[in-house]
Amino acid sequence: MSDLEAFRAETREWLEANCPPEMRQPVRDEQDIYWGGRNATFKNDAQKAWFEACRDKGYTVPEWPKEYGGAGLSPAEGKILRQEMSRMGARPPLSSFGIWMLGPALLHFGTEGQKKRFLNEIAAGEIRWCQGYSEPGSGSDLVSMQTYGEDKGDHWVVNGQKIWTSYADEADWIFCLVRTDKQNKYQGITFMLFDMAGSGVTTKPIKLISGNSPFCETFFDDVSVPKSYGEDCPGYVGEINRGWDVAKYLLGHEREMISGAGGGDRTAAIGAAMKRNAGELDAVLRAELAMFDVDALAYTAMGEKFLDEMKVGKGHPAQPNMMKYAGTELNKRRHELMMAAGGSRALEWESDETSGGKPARNWLRTKANSIEGGTSEVMLNVISKRILDLPGA
């Protein structure tokens, strides 16, 4: 038996012993997702047991180094763990923008002090992060942002506004793009880290067409942001005025997250879920469901290929744009098919039978996928120029 085969057998045995049956069911509502943070609570004992088992094993961030809270798995071992969790339908033990976005940026650009402090807090579910990027009038053209940090020596005083800040009203800290030099569009932005509980930070939820939303407006009024949180732990990532380098790197990971790269509910097969109703569906719709499942499997394979290439330094810089666009279209198509299969019942909005109109609300929510994290039009422009090498308009 090879080392990887032995690891797969050990992993399967560990998962069977430690993943409660309740954590092998599909996510049904927001409370089924554990985000961690200062004010986090567990939905039930099973969710708590699963998180704590994975935290202690390093499996909340399995490929991060052990000294930063991970398990130190190789890319091949990490892939096996994902496969085995997918096989048994195991839910992620911890969901976090710190894991998906900030963590990779800190591993690449952070100081040792930042890594030891923030990465361990992320891995242990002790801190919940949100992302301060988009502003009114500065979405796809992010470098036109105007939130400004005035240099006061050992700190900045930040004033401005962010928008579409996911879960800002529930986050502990924010990683935020702040202009620190008004004369230089690209090399005048600093990637700051600061506490959302600080004086001058306020949030206002934004309600979407679906009737609910994770998005917020976030306001900064004379917010004091320290330049240092202790020895070798600056309050910014990378260099002052070079935050755009960090932001571009992080955007690739954000687009992978939004696209559902490597699988997840948004790209999961739906044919099996519809099997019990198959007799009620017409032949054309059944064929469309089957074709979606084929495309979802192909997308998952493409995501795994791209992730493997990125980990060994062979990935194309525009691959996250491809994944984001393809994942967006796949998720929208998934919910269109689910609505079609559900018929008029799927349009219901409030009853317990549909969990308060969950099918319709989720379908409406997907309309934002083609905007958040970079619009589909911008993604296609990048793909045409960077991958297809087509001339600009």
Side-chain angles (χ1 to χ4, degrees):
M1 181 182 290
S2 69
D3 290 344
L4 287 179
E5 288 174 336
F7 176 78
R8 184 182 294 277
E10 292 169 5
T11 299
R12 183 172 295 186
E13 182 180 357
W14 186 88
L15 289 172
E16 290 290 350
N18 288 277
C19 184
E22 299 94 325
M23 295 297 102
R24 306 183 194 190
Q25 302 298 318
V27 171
R28 297 181 181 85
D29 55 44
E30 184 70 23
Q31 286 67 46
D32 282 343
I33 302 171
Y34 183 66
W35 290 90
R38 288 190 293 234
N39 301 311
T41 58
F42 294 100
K43 180 178 181 177
N44 51 44
D45 290 342
Q47 188 181 70
K48 182 175 186 288
W50 176 227
F51 164 73
E52 291 179 346
C54 288
R55 178 199 61 194
D56 295 345
K57 186 76 170 176
Y59 279 1
T60 58
V61 284
E63 293 178 46
W64 288 10
K66 291 183 178 180
E67 60 266 32
Y68 306 140
L73 300 188
S74 68
E77 290 170 334
K79 185 174 183 179
I80 287 173
L81 176 60
R82 291 194 301 274
Q83 289 172 341
E84 290 302 312
M85 289 181 67
S86 177
R87 180 191 62 81
M88 71 187 315
R91 296 176 187 170
L94 176 66
S95 295
S96 167
F97 294 147
I99 294 174
W100 302 324
M101 294 188 281
L102 179 61
L106 285 175
L107 285 167
H108 190 78
F109 293 97
T111 65
E112 188 62 23
Q114 287 175 325
K115 292 175 184 178
K116 286 182 177 178
R117 173 178 173 174
F118 294 121
L119 292 181
N120 277 291
E121 288 179 345
I122 291 168
E126 296 172 355
I127 188 169
R128 183 171 180 177
W129 290 86
C130 64
Q131 176 193 40
Y133 269 31
S134 296
E135 298 182 5
S138 300
S140 295
D141 182 23
L142 194 56
V143 291
S144 66
M145 45 151 293
Q146 297 300 311
T147 294
Y148 182 64
E150 184 180 358
D151 196 332
K152 294 292 186 178
D154 64 348
H155 69 283
W156 289 280
V157 174
V158 175
N159 285 278
Q161 177 186 357
K162 298 294 180 178
I163 199 166
W164 309 121
T165 317
S166 297
Y167 300 107
D169 55 341
E170 299 182 33
D172 303 319
W173 280 57
I174 186 170
F175 48 96
C176 188
L177 294 183
V178 178
R179 185 162 297 285
T180 45
D181 183 349
K182 294 183 178 181
Q183 306 305 313
N184 194 320
K185 186 174 183 179
Y186 288 94
Q187 294 188 7
I189 296 171
T190 300
F191 191 102
M192 297 186 187
L193 311 173
F194 55 96
D195 196 322
M196 290 288 284
S199 176
V201 181
T202 55
T203 61
K204 180 182 178 182
I206 302 171
K207 186 172 287 189
L208 298 185
I209 191 174
S210 63
N212 46 46
S213 168
F215 298 121
C216 295
E217 293 178 277
T218 306
F219 303 92
F220 309 120
D221 297 297
D222 292 333
V223 177
S224 178
V225 178
K227 289 187 177 179
S228 174
Y229 292 112
E231 184 177 354
D232 195 30
C233 189
Y236 55 91
V237 180
E239 300 177 32
I240 295 175
N241 292 329
R242 293 301 299 269
W244 186 239
D245 298 336
V246 183
K248 288 189 297 182
Y249 182 85
L250 186 147
L251 278 170
H253 291 274
E254 179 192 19
R255 285 162 183 161
E256 288 172 16
M257 177 196 74
I258 293 172
S259 70
D265 285 347
R266 68 169 53 212
T267 56
I270 57 176
M274 299 291 180
K275 185 180 293 184
R276 59 184 174 182
N277 299 323
E280 304 171 11
L281 306 179
D282 63 66
V284 173
L285 184 53
R286 290 201 302 272
E288 290 177 351
L289 290 169
M291 183 56 69
F292 174 89
D293 283 359
V294 171
D295 291 344
L297 289 169
Y299 178 84
T300 300
M302 180 174 73
E304 290 286 357
K305 176 178 180 291
F306 284 177
L307 289 172
D308 288 345
E309 289 175 346
M310 289 179 67
K311 287 171 182 175
V312 296
K314 294 183 178 180
H316 192 287
Q319 283 177 343
N321 301 82
M322 290 178 61
M323 293 300 298
K324 198 275 176 177
Y325 177 76
T328 289
E329 295 305 309
L330 198 63
N331 193 44
K332 288 162 62 179
R333 186 172 145 211
R334 171 188 176 85
H335 285 272
E336 291 282 353
L337 288 169
M338 292 176 70
M339 291 297 290
S344 60
R345 176 177 171 274
L347 294 170
E348 198 282 324
W349 196 248
E350 295 179 334
S351 76
D352 291 340
E353 186 181 4
T354 60
S355 301
K358 184 177 178 181
R361 293 177 190 271
N362 287 348
W363 165 61
L364 290 170
R365 173 64 180 84
T366 65
K367 305 307 177 184
N369 293 165
S370 56
I371 300 173
E372 57 196 348
T375 67
S376 289
E377 290 79 8
V378 169
M379 297 300 104
L380 290 173
N381 283 341
V382 172
I383 292 166
S384 69
K385 293 176 184 178
R386 302 288 301 279
I387 293 179
L388 301 179
D389 200 25
L390 296 176

